[in-house]
Amino acid sequence: MAPPKANEKTVQYRRTHNLLLGTRLLSQRGTPSPFTLILDSLSQSSIPLVEEYIARAKAIRISVVYVSFTTLRPPKDVSKVIKARGKTLDALQKEIIAATGAAAPVETQTDAAKTPQNLVVMDSTNHLIPLSSEGGGPKNSMNLAFFLSSLLAPSIALLATYHTDIPRVPQMATTNAYAPDPAELLKYLCTTLIKVYSPSHIFAQKRALDKSLPPPRFGLEGIEGAIASLGTNTGWCDTCGPKERSQGLIYELEHRRMSGRAMTEWFFLMCHPSKRTKEKLILLEDHPAYNPAITAPTTEAPEGLDDSDLTFSLGLTAKQKVDRDGVVLPYFDAQSEEGGTGGRILYVPGREDDWDDEEDEI
Amino acid sequence: MSRLPTPNSILGPSYALLPLESQLLLVTSVLGTSPAWVIYSLLNDTFSNGGDVVLVSCLNEFTYFRDGAKRHGLDLQSHLKKDDFIFVDGLSKLFLSDAGSHGPQSIPSPPTTPSSLRGAIPTRAPISPRQQAPSIPAPGKAPSSLDPIRYITLGAAVGTSAAAIKQLDVIKAAVQAFPAKTARPRVIIEGLDIIMSATGIDVARIEDFIYELREITSTMAVLLPADPPLVHTTASSTPLEISHANLLVSLGHAADAILSLRLLDTGVAKDVSGVLRVTRGAGNLWRGAGAGAVEEKELLYHEADAGVKIFARGSGGH
């Protein structure tokens, strides 16, 4: 989806409400979201966001269970790693429940019910789907929806990534032609849907759209033969080095409340906390690279004259201003000295004037 | 002597190929660009650091690599004898039976699982019954301590996903054949798509195999073609095309770096062989990863008899 247009009218409201909700979802505090699905692609991986989730979970002592299909080097802050490769869905379900079950008795405290005690992170649901009965898994394998709902106790939050650009190998005969695609099912089941984008790609598209140009295409749709575009997984920051910088990304978040009302917002997850708010998460519109108007008030010329598209300068340099102030215009004489006393004519007669003292008078 | 770019000059100065981390490089190419020089460059780097390496190819025989490497000043033949290099040939004996090596011990029932044949090219295996291939089909003599050239032989396993994937264990055996060192061996695999399409092995199984292999290796480079028809799948794509795209993109999601070779966008030039684009993969993003950051860049490369030059656009390569 194309990035949204900056909207001055609603940004103030969204800055308070949506940003708060986004931060609470990221920190898993206050607003519960039992199943968060992150959609990513080759252009931008979900890993920086997943790491942010894990880091914040660790900060409030939520135990993190990492279910690894493809990750060989899982992140450090994880309490338990479950290798899911080659297992059946039943075995996986038992193992995850066993890993998360240890914290279950704490459930009795009703106040803490809003914050989960376990965060189950799944690195690739693409590899989960073929195990289920919808994805054409082995006979008598579990239903994907059943598997997910069996995991979701009130003390567990699930964070799963789905790679949108991996085509699914069709399974013959086993699948019901009328059943929805398993990926669609996941999108339907989740309570928070996140799509991640590479900042440099979004900014390039925004710049093109601002000039009414067709937006550039990236990733697999970009140049033939190159499966990833430049700007992939690089983040966006002027001050950080390449390793830290890549922790930044843009994401589009859709949170579905229990009431059924959904909130959609675009966020920018920065690689370092903002100096002003001490928070890594800002609205996409509050990022100066996306919305140049954010920084404009400080640098704008005082005249308010929009001369950005002129080929010459309408303004004056300091020296020109001083010189202009130094110029004495002729009528200033009249006002300062003899002037101001009446309508006298100031005239100094020259030699060629035929001056008559009696008639002529100054 | 050799004039090959080092991995650092390709992947950025801060990125290191570490001895124990399971790093994955995905090298994609299109028709008209040969990724062989990337192989030579990795081999050269491994040998100069005293590491072990297994090269698997289902597209070319050993002589192709020997001759190609010699042009760049790399003597692969001598490394075969030095016990730090094993070549696994997945081409010359892929469809041959290995029946000659051992007597017919058991005659398994012929493969009759059509469901596992989805998308596979119809097999051309001889019809004569033959034994189930052993897990390490070293033909002829019993394998010496370090058999430098090994062969993937499918034999009767063609068409049966489960049996065929076992034949790939020859690669694992090759990796484990090296004497234990502080650094794990590296593996370079070319033409994995041939195995997948010729044998009908499920793409998921191939992927699992790669992850198992990554666990016992340090750096793994997978070379796959990324021509548009193989990448852009539509609803009418064949299972083979979808499997290929699935494998390519799945590995792209796990890779530390994606190296894409393509032709010059503006046409053919005398002093430019193609464009190399290096992008960061998700595997390089974990904060805890010991290796430095892969530096994304786009370079031109020129492959000549004197070696391979990589240079920035506009710098002319001089």
Side-chain angles (χ1 to χ4, degrees):
Chain A
M1 192 187 134
K5 283 215 160 75
N7 189 340
E8 285 299 327
K9 281 178 192 161
T10 62
V11 74
Q12 193 58 46
Y13 171 83
R14 289 185 290 129
R15 204 173 283 150
T16 48
H17 289 76
N18 294 2
L19 189 56
L20 181 68
L21 180 59
T23 318
R24 284 162 91 180
L25 286 171
L26 192 56
S27 316
Q28 296 134 63
R29 257 190 277 218
T31 316
S33 171
F35 179 21
T36 306
L37 183 68
I38 308 179
L39 306 177
D40 76 349
S41 66
L42 277 184
S43 295
Q44 177 62 53
S45 160
S46 66
I47 287 177
L49 187 59
V50 171
E51 277 201 316
E52 189 65 28
Y53 263 100
I54 292 174
R56 291 187 188 218
K58 201 191 177 209
I60 54 170
R61 291 199 213 115
I62 293 176
S63 78
V64 180
V65 178
Y66 196 91
V67 182
S68 153
F69 283 96
T70 57
T71 316
L72 287 182
R73 295 165 283 167
K76 277 176 189 159
D77 295 341
V78 167
S79 3
K80 188 170 167 55
V81 178
I82 296 175
K83 259 192 205 173
R85 239 179 308 125
K87 288 185 181 150
T88 65
L89 215 50
D90 291 292
L92 198 59
Q93 181 204 26
K94 284 193 187 105
E95 210 165 327
I96 295 174
I97 289 176
T100 54
V106 197
E107 231 178 288
T108 46
Q109 32 180 302
T110 45
D111 273 359
K114 277 200 165 176
T115 41
Q117 274 89 41
N118 287 289
L119 178 68
V120 178
V121 182
M122 220 172 266
D123 63 351
S124 169
T125 38
N126 300 69
H127 295 78
L128 178 76
I129 288 173
L131 302 177
S132 68
S133 60
E134 288 101 323
K139 264 186 189 169
N140 305 325
S141 61
M142 206 183 281
N143 191 312
L144 191 62
F146 182 73
F147 169 75
L148 290 171
S149 54
S150 72
L151 295 184
L152 292 175
S155 66
I156 296 175
L158 181 64
L159 177 71
T161 300
Y162 181 78
H163 307 303
T164 49
D165 46 4
I166 300 182
R168 216 163 56 78
V169 181
Q171 306 293 335
M172 309 272 173
T174 53
T175 47
N176 179 359
Y178 299 100
D181 189 65
E184 294 299 323
L185 188 70
L186 283 177
K187 282 188 213 170
Y188 176 75
L189 288 175
C190 67
T191 49
T192 305
L193 184 66
I194 294 178
K195 271 186 198 170
V196 292
Y197 298 92
S198 161
S200 47
H201 294 175
I202 287 283
F203 293 155
Q205 284 175 341
K206 174 76 165 35
R207 279 195 294 276
L209 287 171
D210 283 350
K211 293 176 182 170
S212 297
L213 296 171
R217 315 184 81 172
F218 295 104
L220 293 171
E221 294 175 343
I223 301 168
E224 289 189 351
I227 60 168
S229 308
L230 293 180
T232 293
N233 287 333
T234 49
W236 187 277
C237 186
D238 299 329
T239 51
C240 294
K243 196 166 169 76
E244 295 78 35
R245 189 168 59 198
S246 58
Q247 303 298 328
L249 54 82
I250 288 176
Y251 67 89
E252 184 191 3
L253 178 137
E254 183 186 324
H255 175 63
R256 296 153 186 174
R257 291 166 203 265
M258 299 241 278
S259 65
R261 195 171 147 246
M263 185 278 285
T264 314
E265 186 55 77
W266 286 70
F267 293 104
F268 189 100
L269 181 70
M270 292 191 290
C271 48
H272 55 265
S274 138
K275 282 189 192 110
R276 209 158 45 83
T277 57
K278 311 265 181 270
E279 175 56 59
K280 277 185 173 181
L281 194 70
I282 59 168
L283 288 189
L284 176 59
E285 275 157 74
D286 285 343
H287 196 278
Y290 180 79
N291 191 358
I294 291 294
T295 48
T298 53
T299 56
E300 211 177 354
E303 293 95 335
L305 194 65
D306 183 25
D307 57 0
S308 55
D309 55 346
L310 296 181
T311 52
F312 51 89
S313 166
L314 280 180
L316 293 173
T317 64
K319 185 176 180 301
Q320 284 170 335
K321 273 184 187 158
V322 169
D323 287 351
R324 191 176 68 169
D325 289 346
V327 173
V328 180
L329 295 172
Y331 52 83
F332 282 123
D333 287 346
Q335 288 167 2
S336 60
E337 290 164 25
E338 300 100 303
T341 54
R344 287 203 304 148
I345 298 166
L346 297 173
Y347 183 71
V348 180
R351 198 161 14 112
E352 67 281 6
D353 284 326
D354 181 18
W355 194 260
D356 189 342
D357 283 342
E358 287 179 355
E359 285 184 12
D360 297 331
E361 187 186 9
I362 294 176
Chain B
M1 158 168 189
S2 65
R3 290 187 51 197
L4 286 160
T6 60
N8 273 357
S9 64
I10 298 172
L11 297 168
S14 73
Y15 185 76
L17 298 178
L18 298 174
L20 290 174
E21 299 254 347
S22 307
Q23 287 157 315
L24 177 66
L25 305 177
L26 178 65
V27 184
T28 70
S29 57
V30 294
L31 203 64
T33 59
S34 166
W37 67 271
V38 181
I39 298 180
Y40 302 138
S41 154
L42 278 170
L43 289 176
N44 187 38
D45 179 69
T46 316
F47 295 142
S48 55
N49 290 326
D52 301 325
V53 61
V54 177
L55 172 60
V56 184
S57 177
C58 304
L59 292 174
N60 299 295
E61 289 170 308
F62 178 66
T63 47
Y64 171 86
F65 289 106
R66 189 192 61 201
D67 298 347
K70 196 172 272 174
R71 279 171 48 204
H72 299 309
L74 189 63
D75 188 3
L76 289 186
Q77 191 74 52
S78 72
H79 282 288
L80 278 183
K81 288 173 194 148
K82 269 193 221 162
D83 286 359
D84 58 357
F85 177 55
I86 291 179
F87 182 76
V88 179
D89 187 340
L91 173 72
S92 31
K93 298 192 181 174
L94 187 60
F95 294 108
L96 290 188
S97 77
D98 50 307
S101 53
H102 310 278
Q105 291 142 359
S106 61
I107 298 169
S109 56
T112 52
T113 46
S115 70
S116 69
L117 262 172
R118 309 178 282 276
I121 292 171
T123 58
R124 288 178 291 144
I127 309 154
S128 62
R130 67 183 60 80
Q131 70 173 99
Q132 191 85 26
S135 61
I136 307 166
K141 63 203 180 298
S144 65
S145 65
L146 208 62
D147 212 6
I149 298 188
R150 302 176 181 215
Y151 294 92
I152 301 176
T153 311
L154 293 169
V158 168
T160 53
S161 200
I165 194 82
K166 280 221 173 69
Q167 304 307 309
L168 295 185
D169 283 345
V170 69
I171 303 173
K172 263 188 228 169
V175 170
Q176 284 158 342
F178 291 113
K181 279 189 192 176
T182 48
R184 291 196 210 141
R186 294 181 183 174
V187 174
I188 303 168
I189 300 185
E190 183 190 48
L192 208 55
D193 48 324
I194 302 283
I195 298 252
M196 189 173 70
S197 39
T199 62
I201 301 179
D202 245 14
V203 60
R205 279 173 187 270
I206 293 264
E207 231 185 292
D208 284 352
F209 173 76
I210 289 177
Y211 289 117
E212 281 162 28
L213 204 53
R214 281 182 71 193
E215 280 171 357
I216 52 171
T217 56
S218 58
T219 300
M220 182 160 164
V222 178
L223 290 87
L224 283 174
D227 295 277
L230 298 173
V231 175
H232 300 287
T233 52
T234 57
S236 59
S237 296
T238 61
L240 206 57
E241 288 167 332
I242 294 177
S243 294
H244 186 99
N246 185 304
L247 181 67
L248 184 74
V249 180
S250 297
L251 292 180
H253 275 285
D256 281 42
I258 301 172
L259 285 72
S260 303
L261 299 181
R262 64 175 203 269
L263 293 169
L264 204 57
D265 302 339
T266 45
V268 182
K270 219 193 315 178
D271 49 359
V272 179
S273 307
V275 186
L276 166 72
R277 178 183 278 181
V278 181
T279 48
R280 289 189 76 175
N284 191 231
L285 287 179
W286 295 108
R287 257 177 240 164
V294 171
E295 219 171 81
E296 67 158 23
K297 61 182 85 153
E298 192 160 276
L299 298 166
L300 304 180
Y301 70 91
H302 182 227
E303 202 180 354
D305 280 346
V308 178
K309 270 182 292 187
I310 54 174
F311 49 96
R313 261 177 221 278
S315 69
H318 302 297

